[in-house]
Amino acid sequence: MATKEVVQRDSFTSKLGIIAAIAGSAVGLGNIWKFPYITGVYGGGAFVIVYLICIVLIGLPIVLSEFIIGRKAQRNAVGSFRFLAPRTYWYVPGLMGVTAAVMILAFYGVVAGWTLEYLLKAITNSFAGKNPADLEGIFGGFISQIARPIFWQIIFMSLTCWIVVAGIKGGIEKASKLLMPVLLVIIVILDTRAITLPGASEGLSFLFKPDFSKLTAEGILIALGHAFFSLSLGMGTLITYSSYMSKEENLATTAVQITIVDTGIALLAGIAIFPAVFAFGIEPGAGPGLVFITLPNVFQQMPGGYIFCILFFLLLAVAALTSSISILEVVVAYFVEELHLKRRTATIMSAVGITIIGFPCSLSMGVWSKVTFMDRTFFDWLDFIASNILLPLGGLLIVAFVGWILGREGAEQELTNDGELSAGYLPLFMFLAKFVAPLVIAVVFLHGLGLF
Ligand code: PFF
């Protein structure tokens, strides 16, 4: 193992800060926009159960694997592999992670920009008196414009850049500690409203009562892919964040806490949305437009809907922001530590570059929607390559690295903080890391490529 001096680095300063930042990364558009709509499309309760199984059996071991790698090496995603396995090709998964981060943030910034436009629309009461067809028209009309979505994307990316420039303790930790409680309060208010609506129980049973006849093979694969995306796995985000964690933290406890928060918020988002959707007799399987078309419709029929609508889009924007900063940090940490750029320069450069890559993503919702290659737009390609290829492959390599290269001893040393803590779960973790997780991910990966 290399014995290079560990460079003096910024770090998280408190346990709460660590949890807030990592949970902030995990909880994002994935939880509040995507989880409810895919649950709607893939049949409700049975899908939720499969998702929970994926989280526990596959997600949690990878969270822990990323923590082990990052905290052991105290370096960025590429540098961590270089440090732990010098003179090998193991840095390649790190590079894939940085590439995936660039691609994901390019389109994530576009969708996050939409949430700001919708927040403004909610504040100016633009949904009042509109019927579902009008709302569909508003959404389609907005995303297909050239300048307006790009304007909001630039605003959102500037906010992300502003926080990341300020560093780990003064930027990311501070912002997460402020924004995550806001997010929690908003979601609890929205849940309380939703479950007290007449007819709410139908929505709750859609979410929690499994009907396995509705479960499809595709649904299972989507559930696993979403577990990855939702927990921010496979691209070194958690390697990067955990590299700023102190050697005293209990990695396993932190991993379990983060997983519970992420899954809990996704379920709370479902509880905020489905009872309302059912109470107003609306179709739950509306797809990606669920929160941008269906919900404004629901809110404008609901007593107090004006204020709840504002809160909902504020929630979405806040959740997106605490995730986007974690994605940008993967790229910035790499530039700073491997290419020796100044943090400010690295952050501005990468944010500008990623925003520009996002432009064609935004345009592919409108003027460039016909510009396709093999039936996919630029947006679809970035999403496909990152989510269906780089993330699963990255996750597989990360968990296999811990299972097979660091091995039981390397993992044990980090999980027990050099013998300070007990880790009775270690044999189970090693079994999942060596066999179960790589195998299951391999199946998803091949399916994602259409080979299985
Ligand atoms: N976990 C985030 C969400 O659910 O929206 C998205 C995400 C963040 C994916 C960071 C990947 C990542 F590295």
Side-chain angles (χ1 to χ4, degrees), residues 14-146:
S14 66
K15 200 177 181 61
L16 189 72
I18 294 171
I19 303 282
I22 305 180
S25 169
V27 175
L29 295 173
N31 303 60
I32 300 162
W33 170 57
K34 200 162 175 196
F35 176 77
Y37 95 65
I38 54 179
T39 301
V41 171
Y42 290 99
F47 176 84
V48 173
I49 289 181
V50 173
Y51 177 71
L52 295 180
I53 295 172
C54 293
I55 288 281
V56 174
L57 284 186
I58 318 293
L60 196 51
I62 309 179
V63 173
L64 210 46
S65 299
E66 294 211 19
F67 281 0
I68 291 170
I69 295 172
R71 218 244 331 233
K72 206 177 189 60
Q74 307 266 291
R75 281 166 172 77
N76 65 89
V78 177
S80 286
F81 283 105
R82 282 214 173 108
F83 177 74
L84 296 172
R87 288 175 298 280
T88 66
Y89 286 108
W90 275 105
Y91 66 90
V92 173
L95 275 182
M96 283 167 37
V98 176
T99 313
V102 169
M103 295 174 135
I104 291 186
L105 190 51
F107 67 78
Y108 203 82
V110 172
V111 180
W114 300 349
T115 68
L116 296 180
E117 163 84 9
Y118 267 65
L119 179 58
L120 184 71
K121 280 194 190 325
I123 293 169
T124 53
N125 207 8
S126 312
F127 306 123
K130 301 281 189 290
N131 64 32
D134 296 336
L135 290 164
E136 207 173 326
I138 290 178
F139 181 61
F142 163 64
I143 64 171
S144 60
Q145 282 177 38
I146 296 176

Side-chain angles (χ1 to χ4, degrees), residues 353-417:
I354 291 169
T355 307
I356 293 173
I357 300 175
F359 292 165
C361 289
S362 184
L363 296 177
S364 65
M365 297 289 160
V367 282
W368 285 2
S369 62
K370 300 274 172 324
V371 183
T372 56
F373 176 64
M374 291 166 72
D375 272 349
R376 287 198 175 95
T377 62
F378 189 77
F379 187 117
D380 298 337
W381 269 111
L382 283 197
D383 185 16
F384 176 77
I385 295 173
S387 311
N388 293 12
I389 300 180
L390 295 174
L391 291 195
L393 197 55
L396 192 154
L397 293 170
I398 285 166
V399 77
F401 181 78
V402 172
W404 297 94
I405 308 293
L406 287 184
R408 191 187 161 112
E409 263 167 53
E412 185 168 14
Q413 191 191 23
E414 210 49 44
L415 291 174
T416 61
N417 294 355

Side-chain angles (χ1 to χ4, degrees), residues 57-293:
L57 284 186
I58 318 293
L60 196 51
I62 309 179
V63 173
L64 210 46
S65 299
E66 294 211 19
F67 281 0
I68 291 170
I69 295 172
R71 218 244 331 233
K72 206 177 189 60
Q74 307 266 291
R75 281 166 172 77
N76 65 89
V78 177
S80 286
F81 283 105
R82 282 214 173 108
F83 177 74
L84 296 172
R87 288 175 298 280
T88 66
Y89 286 108
W90 275 105
Y91 66 90
V92 173
L95 275 182
M96 283 167 37
V98 176
T99 313
V102 169
M103 295 174 135
I104 291 186
L105 190 51
F107 67 78
Y108 203 82
V110 172
V111 180
W114 300 349
T115 68
L116 296 180
E117 163 84 9
Y118 267 65
L119 179 58
L120 184 71
K121 280 194 190 325
I123 293 169
T124 53
N125 207 8
S126 312
F127 306 123
K130 301 281 189 290
N131 64 32
D134 296 336
L135 290 164
E136 207 173 326
I138 290 178
F139 181 61
F142 163 64
I143 64 171
S144 60
Q145 282 177 38
I146 296 176
R148 212 172 157 93
I150 287 183
F151 165 77
W152 285 118
Q153 181 210 357
I154 293 174
I155 298 286
F156 180 84
M157 289 300 294
S158 308
L159 277 173
T160 305
C161 182
W162 176 61
I163 296 172
V164 175
V165 164
I168 302 305
K169 141 167 107 260
I172 293 178
E173 180 171 353
K174 213 165 141 189
S176 309
K177 268 165 68 176
L178 174 81
L179 295 174
M180 288 310 282
V182 172
L183 183 144
L184 269 179
V185 170
I186 298 180
I187 205 156
V188 169
I189 296 176
L190 289 171
D191 275 343
T192 314
R193 167 72 273 194
I195 56 177
T196 50
L197 285 169
S201 60
E202 208 188 328
L204 291 176
S205 62
F206 175 77
L207 193 58
F208 292 115
K209 224 163 122 196
D211 173 359
F212 284 97
S213 67
K214 287 195 187 151
L215 192 65
T216 58
E218 193 187 339
I220 297 175
L221 294 160
I222 296 286
L224 182 59
H226 188 64
F228 260 83
F229 188 81
S230 189
L231 286 169
S232 306
L233 297 178
M235 52 181 253
T237 306
L238 300 187
I239 295 181
T240 309
Y241 266 20
S242 59
S243 76
Y244 304 120
M245 256 195 235
S246 94
K247 290 281 184 189
E248 273 91 59
E249 290 310 323
N250 184 333
L251 294 185
T253 317
T254 311
V256 171
Q257 286 165 342
I258 298 303
T259 307
I260 292 176
V261 173
D262 185 58
T263 312
I265 301 276
L267 293 174
L268 287 177
I271 297 173
I273 292 174
F274 289 115
V277 166
F278 278 88
F280 294 103
I282 291 162
E283 172 51 38
L290 182 68
V291 308
F292 293 105
I293 299 168

